[in-house]
Amino acid sequence: MSTGNEATKTFRPEIQAIRAVAVGAVVVFHLWPNALPGGFVGVDLFFVVSGFLITGHLLREIDATGTVRLGQFWARRARRLLPASVAVLVAVSVATILLVPGENWRQFFREITASAFYGQNWLLASDSVDYLAAENLASPVQHFWSLSVEEQFYVVWPLLLLGVTIMAARRAVRVGGRASSPRRLALYALVAVTVASLAWSVLTTVLDPASAYFVTTTRAWEFGAGGLLALVAVPQSHEARTGLAARFMAAVQRAFASPQRRAIASYTGWALIAAALVLFDGQTPFPGFAALLPVIGVLLVIATGAPRSAWSPTRAMAARPVQFLGDISYSLYLWHWPLIVILAPLPLYRSMGAVGPVFILTVSLALAVLTKRFIEDPVRFSPGIKRLKLRYVGVAAATGMIGVLLIGVGSTTVLGVHEEASQAKIDTILETESDCLGASALSDSIEGCETTDLSDVLIPTPSTIKEDVPALLEEDCRTQTGGTELKTCTFGEEGSNYAVALVGDSHAAAWFPALKKIADERGWELDTYYKSNCPFNAVPMSKDDESCAEWNTEVNESLAKRDPYDLVIVSHKNDAPQDEVADVEAGFVESWQPLVDRGSEVVAIRDVPKMPADAMRCFPESGYDPTSCAPTEEQALKAVDPIVNAAEDLPGAATIDMNEYFCSDDVCPLVIGGVIVYRDSHHISATYSDTLAPYLEEKLLATINQAS
């Protein structure tokens, strides 16, 4: 292992080889996921390499100048990374406008903007625990989450080492009776950050795995591991050579004293990386402890360098194709994912069959080469650009980022104008065609709806369908996934002689627009108890079981303290595995029994049809044709709904099946009476729920009267 500026040259073959394997793993994982199920660990290889290279660079600067020149460091990072990333974001923005259905624009441009300002990872972490965003499409810039983590590292890391340098210069920290050197303080700081982040990663991966994958705090230890290796690999000053880092370095050198030992260690490192790529998959808790496997592998490969042994991996690492792939790894990473997301849904791409992924790989490589040749290198190595004053570099960087923002703002503004015009047309239609709107089109009591102008109408407009949610989903009325606080809201006529409760998850909340209309018209009090992804069940089948169980306890205690409701309406997302259906049924009965004992009527509404993924994809591609993408009842409806069985088993409970207003003639269309029925694969739109009010009211009254 070499020191000083020589380190960059010494480590180049293996660094480029690691980059090549990292980007190759990610690309293969995205194009052929079954071929390399653990390919997602490629980003972790990048993180360790970045920690090693950047820490080494900063340490050499501290040794040479006694400080860290933040402005120059950030300017170099901006010249290296921003030109290619801004170019890709602009290209993705244009492709979104030209090729992506309007219903996805808001999500996509929101993520494009977050990516431009390197906050994509925190946005995805937030969306991962937001039940309303659970069915968001993978955006063409989703992969910018890892670049966001790296950029945040580039901001914080030099500040940390600068702080260490200042403390050392002021002799603010003393160990063993003498002031600590910058290297020694850096070692303490890196160890503290690395250990704390690893512990947090392990804990968060268990408690909140969805957000753990994206947040910076669970990944910082990977940069720290690379930084610690740089700390012992690049000692310069006399004090560093005689300190703890040097002693560790000497131990490492003794362990790898011969080329043969270094070759064995290098092969071991590559074997650990290969094991992670092959053995890990989407079910592996990650990052957490599992990430240690590829991280240790990378550290071994870097630490052993390029062993000069006849049977070492040096020749393979230094092979021209490997070095070439490592050289274009950044641009290749940037381009491959947008091409997958934007091209894959297109009919032309799907007609390619097995050739499609090969086509995307070929185009990605070509774009990567062009970007490296005409964007990355000219900006990175241009003497004129290097001589620019820091403020000009900052202005150029800000201009590119703000330019991406303005494209998104302009596009969504135009979309909003189009939506307003469409809504004006819709309002006019609603005034004249309300008798056949939505569910009325399937009602036996209304005839002639098939001949109305609503056959050519889409309400709401497709670009706003994801926002067509019940008002109940407001924060004050909803307990979020992971939350336990009981939030209740009252609608209708408060203090009425007839009190109704709506209790359950988002599938129960989907009936709120219809129930509110009924409550307003009949003078009922309507109270809501709603938690995302949590049915009213004593043994909730949910990925969020702990908070869900606590929330259910709160609901039961609250219901027991107040006067009994006349009517309690429940529903749920019917997604329990077949072997758990009996437990779910028993859980419903256990939750409802106290209500029935106190005189409440419990009415369970059977879950609505679920749209297959291909139907939801087909819908915008077909030009929003109401029937061409419609699944059959067998495809959309589960034969068994445990909430129905539970109501049949409990005297005092009853069921309502509204699916005659979702399916007709063995088909479950996505548009009924001009109204888009689903805002995602399993949630009905608030507008369609509203049109169900008279038919839900009819069934409710019949059930209540029959019970009394």
Side-chain angles (χ1 to χ4, degrees):
M1 300 174 74
S2 301
T3 62
N5 294 329
E6 186 184 349
T8 302
K9 297 179 182 178
T10 302
F11 287 109
R12 181 173 175 81
E14 59 271 23
I15 290 294
Q16 291 296 75
I18 293 170
R19 285 172 170 162
V21 169
V23 76
V26 172
V27 172
V28 170
F29 173 68
H30 287 155
L31 289 173
W32 298 278
N34 294 329
L36 207 60
F40 55 85
V41 305
V43 296
D44 302 271
L45 311 187
F46 279 124
F47 291 163
V48 178
V49 168
S50 293
F52 173 78
L53 293 176
I54 296 303
T55 304
H57 170 82
L58 292 171
L59 289 174
R60 286 189 290 274
E61 183 174 7
I62 291 172
D63 284 337
T65 67
T67 188
V68 173
R69 293 167 292 188
L70 293 176
Q72 293 187 13
F73 174 82
W74 288 330
R76 285 193 297 270
R77 293 294 88 203
R79 290 196 303 268
R80 171 69 180 93
L81 301 174
L82 279 179
S85 67
V86 169
V88 170
L89 290 174
V90 170
V92 169
S93 298
V94 174
T96 297
I97 295 170
L98 297 177
L99 300 174
V100 175
E103 66 186 77
N104 298 319
W105 280 24
R106 283 188 173 84
Q107 177 205 337
F108 282 17
F109 280 116
R110 176 170 166 258
E111 293 193 27
I112 289 170
T113 300
S115 297
F117 290 88
Y118 293 100
Q120 172 74 329
N121 65 314
W122 291 103
L123 176 62
L124 291 178
S126 174
D127 285 350
S128 72
V129 296
D130 182 357
Y131 189 60
L132 297 182
E135 289 210 13
N136 278 355
L137 293 177
S139 82
V141 294
Q142 182 169 296
H143 64 319
F144 266 75
W145 77 266
S146 63
L147 302 177
S148 298
V149 172
E150 288 217 28
E151 283 297 324
Q152 291 156 28
F153 161 72
Y154 295 145
V155 171
V156 173
W157 217 245
L159 290 173
L160 175 66
L161 292 182
L162 177 61
V164 162
T165 303
I166 293 173
M167 292 175 66
R170 295 179 178 178
R171 301 180 181 275
V173 178
R174 305 182 71 85
V175 177
R178 61 190 180 91
S180 292
S181 68
R183 285 300 185 96
R184 181 172 296 188
L185 287 183
L187 177 63
Y188 298 152
L190 290 184
V191 168
V193 169
T194 303
V195 172
S197 174
L198 176 58
W200 182 250
S201 179
V202 172
L203 179 65
T204 310
T205 300
V206 174
L207 299 180
D208 189 8
S211 62
Y213 190 83
F214 297 111
V215 296
T216 310
T217 50
T218 62
R219 302 284 187 162
W221 69 272
E222 299 178 11
F223 296 98
L228 286 170
L229 180 59
L231 189 64
V232 299
V234 194
Q236 288 240 321
S237 67
H238 174 73
E239 188 170 5
R241 287 196 296 270
T242 60
L244 179 62
R247 290 197 295 272
F248 181 76
M249 177 64 178
V252 172
Q253 289 178 329
R254 286 194 298 271
F256 303 141
S258 67
Q260 290 77 16
R261 289 182 182 179
R262 291 171 62 197
I264 292 172
S266 184
Y267 276 121
T268 301
W270 285 116
L272 294 178
I273 294 171
L277 295 176
V278 175
L279 299 179
F280 290 179
D281 58 25
Q283 302 304 312
T284 304
F286 205 84
F289 278 124
L292 282 167
L293 187 66
V295 168
I296 293 173
V298 176
L299 294 176
L300 280 173
V301 173
I302 297 175
T304 53
R308 293 185 176 88
S309 172
W311 50 276
S312 78
T314 300
R315 181 174 298 179
M317 291 191 295
R320 184 171 296 179
V322 174
Q323 296 296 301
F324 167 77
L325 189 58
D327 203 36
I328 64 167
S329 58
Y330 177 56
S331 290
L332 179 57
Y333 183 81
L334 286 174
W335 280 114
H336 84 283
W337 182 250
L339 290 172
I340 292 173
V341 173
I342 292 176
L343 296 183
L346 301 180
L348 178 61
Y349 175 83
R350 292 209 302 274
S351 68
M352 295 181 182
V355 178
V358 178
F359 171 75
I360 285 183
L361 177 60
T362 303
V363 175
S364 299
L365 287 168
L367 289 173
V369 171
L370 293 173
T371 303
K372 182 75 165 58
R373 171 67 178 83
F374 295 106
I375 297 178
E376 281 192 68
D377 288 350
V379 175
R380 183 182 180 188
F381 299 118
S382 168
I385 295 177
K386 284 184 178 181
R387 287 195 297 268
L388 282 177
K389 293 183 178 180
L390 296 180
R391 63 174 176 270
Y392 295 139
V393 176
V395 169
T399 299
M401 297 162 73
I402 293 173
V404 174
L405 170 65
L406 292 178
I407 294 175
V409 171
S411 301
T412 51
T413 300
V414 171
L415 181 65
V417 172
H418 172 72
E419 290 169 353
E420 289 180 6
S422 298
Q423 188 60 49
K425 179 182 177 182
I426 288 170
D427 292 341
T428 301
I429 292 172
L430 296 181
E431 293 175 3
T432 58
E433 298 287 350
S434 58
D435 287 345
C436 290
L437 181 68
S440 300
L442 295 183
S443 173
D444 293 336
S445 62
I446 299 177
E447 298 181 357
C449 288
E450 66 276 3
T451 63
T452 68
D453 291 340
L454 288 174
S455 58
D456 297 325
V457 174
L458 288 175
I459 306 171
T461 57
S463 60
T464 63
I465 186 60
K466 291 184 178 180
E467 286 76 46
D468 192 36
V469 299
L472 182 59
L473 272 62
E474 297 294 333
E475 293 298 322
D476 290 343
C477 298
R478 172 173 60 133
T479 302
Q480 289 274 20
T481 302
T484 58
E485 180 186 359
L486 180 61
K487 298 181 180 181
T488 62
C489 290
T490 299
F491 303 88
E493 185 178 326
E494 189 171 356
S496 169
N497 292 329
Y498 196 85
V500 180
L502 173 64
V503 191
D505 59 13
S506 60
H507 282 226
W511 296 103
F512 173 77
L515 287 170
K516 184 179 184 302
K517 180 179 280 190
I518 297 169
D520 289 339
E521 292 177 353
R522 302 196 69 85
W524 293 350
E525 176 182 315
L526 174 62
D527 295 340
T528 60
Y529 301 76
Y530 163 45
K531 173 172 163 58
S532 295
N533 202 30
C534 182
F536 182 37
N537 193 299
V539 285
M541 299 296 107
S542 166
K543 65 180 181 181
D544 187 35
D545 285 341
E546 187 173 338
S547 70
C548 192
E550 188 173 338
W551 180 83
N552 268 276
T553 300
E554 293 284 335
V555 171
N556 283 318
E557 291 177 354
S558 177
L559 294 174
K561 290 176 183 177
R562 59 150 291 150
D563 292 337
Y565 283 101
D566 298 283
L567 176 64
V568 178
I569 299 172
V570 294
S571 191
H572 78 131
K573 180 183 179 183
N574 182 15
D575 62 351
Q578 186 61 39
D579 59 348
E580 297 178 2
V581 167
D583 291 335
V584 176
E585 292 176 12
F588 281 130
V589 172
E590 184 179 340
S591 291
W592 304 342
Q593 186 70 63
L595 304 177
V596 172
D597 292 344
R598 298 183 68 209
S600 297
E601 172 78 5
V602 175
V603 173
I605 304 177
R606 183 184 177 184
D607 195 21
V608 299
K610 180 179 181 180
M611 293 294 103
D614 57 350
M616 297 303 293
R617 183 181 64 245
C618 162
F619 188 42
E621 294 173 3
S622 69
Y624 302 100
D625 184 279
T627 57
S628 64
C629 303
T632 64
E633 288 191 45
E634 183 179 1
Q635 292 172 319
L637 279 171
K638 276 195 171 184
V640 177
D641 189 338
I643 205 168
V644 173
N645 294 347
E648 292 174 350
D649 293 341
L650 179 64
T655 63
I656 286 178
D657 188 339
M658 295 294 294
N659 287 322
E660 65 190 271
Y661 297 101
F662 290 87
C663 303
S664 177
D665 298 327
D666 193 37
V667 173
C668 303
L670 284 82
V671 178
I672 297 174
V675 176
I676 299 177
V677 180
Y678 303 91
R679 60 181 173 86
D680 59 31
S681 69
H682 58 98
H683 289 106
I684 63 174
S685 67
T687 301
Y688 193 72
S689 176
D690 187 83
T691 70
L692 287 163
Y695 312 108
L696 178 61
E697 180 181 16
E698 180 182 354
K699 288 179 179 284
L700 278 174
L701 293 178
T703 302
I704 295 168
N705 293 335
Q706 185 178 11
S708 58

